[in-house]
Amino acid sequence: MRMAKYVVKRIVLMLFTLFVISTICFVLIRILPRVLPTDKVQAEAIAARWDALGYNEPLLTQFVIYLKGIFTSWDWGTSWYISFRTPAWDLLAGRLLPTVLINVYSLIPSIIIGILLGIYAAVKKNKWQDSVISTLVIVFVSVPSYVYAFLVQYIFYFKLGWLPLQVYSLADAGGSWLTGKMFYSMIAPVLALSFSTIAGMCRFTRAELTETLTSDYMLLARAKGLTRAQATARHALKNAMVPILPMIISSFVGILGGSFIIEQIFAIPGVGQLYLQSITLFDYDVFMLDSVFYTFIGLLAGILVDLSYGFIDPRIRMGEK
């Protein structure tokens, strides 16, 4: 019962936070100067739409009209510059798949490799293997992903010629994001995104497992006759995964957020690139929707991470005093 109350409380707080942030974004966006295009037909259409949305009314009236459109007809506005007269929601929904695919392709192997390296480094603590892995982790964590993107392009495209410079378009890849040719073109951005994820997961796993390996119950397990490998697999790794699994959950929820710079470098028509385009082209309705979307994803990830602790470890009960 207390767990249910805690969940409801967190959801209510999430919605309230989302409303406050959305309100601030709306006000800041609507007070920006609006510039009509030079094309007369487009300018008249945009001006008429702005008038229907109450752009010439006080901000409070504009906000009420905006909320009414969302709750009554799921109308998040219209794109006038990125894709003329396309509903903002349709534009965002059409960009989700490439963003999700590129991040899933990078996350799944990165998490597996990172955890395995972290386990190996923890088991070899203070030995040369641990020193090498720890040094590489520091290097890879410190370097931003766009640097890896340029390195991947330089090595695998300019020098070796193994991978394309950018992700193929749908027409070049056979009309689908799920073809082998499209996957081949995504290898370069997947590599660019993987290095930081592997390093971060390796560092986190090593830190948690190193602490667990020195616990009293590990000494007891060894005293009972278990080998080091058996004690690590049955006890240490199981307890170390309690804080690691929420991190993995958070990573998978966050893939909807996209990777702004990577999508721009490799010409991936995803959510991140859409966000940058909406800022550059002053496409206010699309920018507003993207801002709400990213805020919601971030808040949702926080809730799922907190709740996952209670499900992963029975000793943790959310909402208990």
Side-chain angles (χ1 to χ4, degrees), residues 241-262:
M241 290 303 290
V242 172
I244 293 174
L245 284 177
M247 182 180 177
I248 297 174
I249 294 173
S250 175
S251 298
F252 274 101
V253 175
I255 64 177
L256 292 175
S259 307
F260 299 94
I261 306 301
I262 296 298

Side-chain angles (χ1 to χ4, degrees), residues 114-115 117-123 125 130 134 137 199-215 236 240-241 243-244:
I115 291 177
L117 286 176
I119 294 173
Y120 184 73
V123 172
K125 181 183 177 182
D130 180 34
S134 299
V137 163
M201 189 61 65
C202 176
R203 181 178 62 175
F204 195 72
T205 302
R206 181 197 176 278
E208 293 296 329
L209 191 57
T210 299
E211 181 180 352
T212 306
L213 287 173
T214 58
S215 301
M241 290 303 290
I244 293 174

Side-chain angles (χ1 to χ4, degrees), residues 221-298:
R222 295 296 303 278
K224 287 182 177 181
L226 293 180
T227 64
R228 183 179 179 86
Q230 290 174 333
T232 301
R234 296 181 186 180
H235 301 286
L237 187 58
K238 181 179 179 181
N239 286 276
M241 290 303 290
V242 172
I244 293 174
L245 284 177
M247 182 180 177
I248 297 174
I249 294 173
S250 175
S251 298
F252 274 101
V253 175
I255 64 177
L256 292 175
S259 307
F260 299 94
I261 306 301
I262 296 298
E263 290 186 5
Q264 193 70 18
I265 292 174
F266 290 98
I268 303 170
V271 180
Q273 189 189 69
L274 178 66
Y275 202 22
L276 293 178
Q277 288 177 338
S278 67
I279 298 172
T280 305
L281 300 176
F282 303 104
D283 212 331
Y284 296 144
D285 288 342
V286 178
F287 177 76
M288 179 65 191
L289 175 58
D290 277 337
S291 300
V292 174
F293 175 76
Y294 282 120
T295 303
F296 175 75
I297 292 300

Side-chain angles (χ1 to χ4, degrees), residues 53-263:
L53 291 175
Y55 272 48
N56 299 320
E57 301 291 336
L59 281 175
L60 180 59
T61 304
Q62 294 182 37
F63 192 48
V64 171
I65 295 174
Y66 185 74
L67 292 179
K68 182 180 178 181
I70 294 173
F71 289 111
T72 58
S73 57
W74 201 248
D75 182 8
W76 290 86
T78 306
S79 171
W80 296 102
Y81 303 103
I82 299 175
S83 181
F84 186 65
R85 303 190 74 170
T86 301
W89 176 260
D90 293 346
L91 195 59
L92 176 67
R95 299 292 188 98
L96 278 176
L97 182 58
T99 292
V100 171
L101 287 177
I102 203 73
N103 284 274
V104 167
Y105 290 156
S106 65
L107 270 178
I108 293 178
S110 298
I111 289 173
I112 296 173
I113 295 173
I115 291 177
L116 291 177
L117 286 176
I119 294 173
Y120 184 73
V123 172
K124 299 292 184 180
K125 181 183 177 182
N126 296 330
K127 297 182 179 179
W128 69 268
Q129 297 95 328
D130 180 34
S131 300
V132 171
I133 293 175
S134 299
T135 302
L136 291 176
V137 163
I138 293 174
V139 173
F140 286 126
V141 167
S142 304
V143 178
S145 58
Y146 63 83
V147 175
Y148 296 127
F150 294 133
L151 289 175
V152 168
Q153 286 182 331
Y154 177 75
I155 295 173
F156 292 98
Y157 173 74
F158 289 104
K159 288 296 184 181
L160 300 177
W162 291 354
L163 299 175
L165 180 64
Q166 295 179 328
V167 171
Y168 292 147
S169 64
L170 283 175
D172 294 333
S176 174
W177 288 100
L178 303 175
T179 62
K181 191 173 182 180
M182 180 63 78
F183 176 78
Y184 165 73
S185 71
M186 288 184 173
I187 294 177
V190 165
L191 288 175
L193 287 171
S194 297
F195 292 114
S196 298
T197 305
I198 292 174
M201 189 61 65
C202 176
R203 181 178 62 175
F204 195 72
T205 302
R206 181 197 176 278
E208 293 296 329
L209 191 57
T210 299
E211 181 180 352
T212 306
L213 287 173
T214 58
S215 301
D216 293 338
Y217 63 82
M218 283 295 293
L219 296 176
L220 179 61
R222 295 296 303 278
K224 287 182 177 181
L226 293 180
T227 64
R228 183 179 179 86
Q230 290 174 333
T232 301
R234 296 181 186 180
H235 301 286
L237 187 58
K238 181 179 179 181
N239 286 276
M241 290 303 290
V242 172
I244 293 174
L245 284 177
M247 182 180 177
I248 297 174
I249 294 173
S250 175
S251 298
F252 274 101
V253 175
I255 64 177
L256 292 175
S259 307
F260 299 94
I261 306 301
I262 296 298
E263 290 186 5

Side-chain angles (χ1 to χ4, degrees), residues 31-50:
I31 63 177
L32 291 174
R34 301 190 300 272
V35 180
L36 291 172
T38 56
D39 185 274
K40 292 184 178 180
V41 177
Q42 290 188 1
E44 291 176 359
I46 295 174
R49 175 65 172 169
W50 283 349

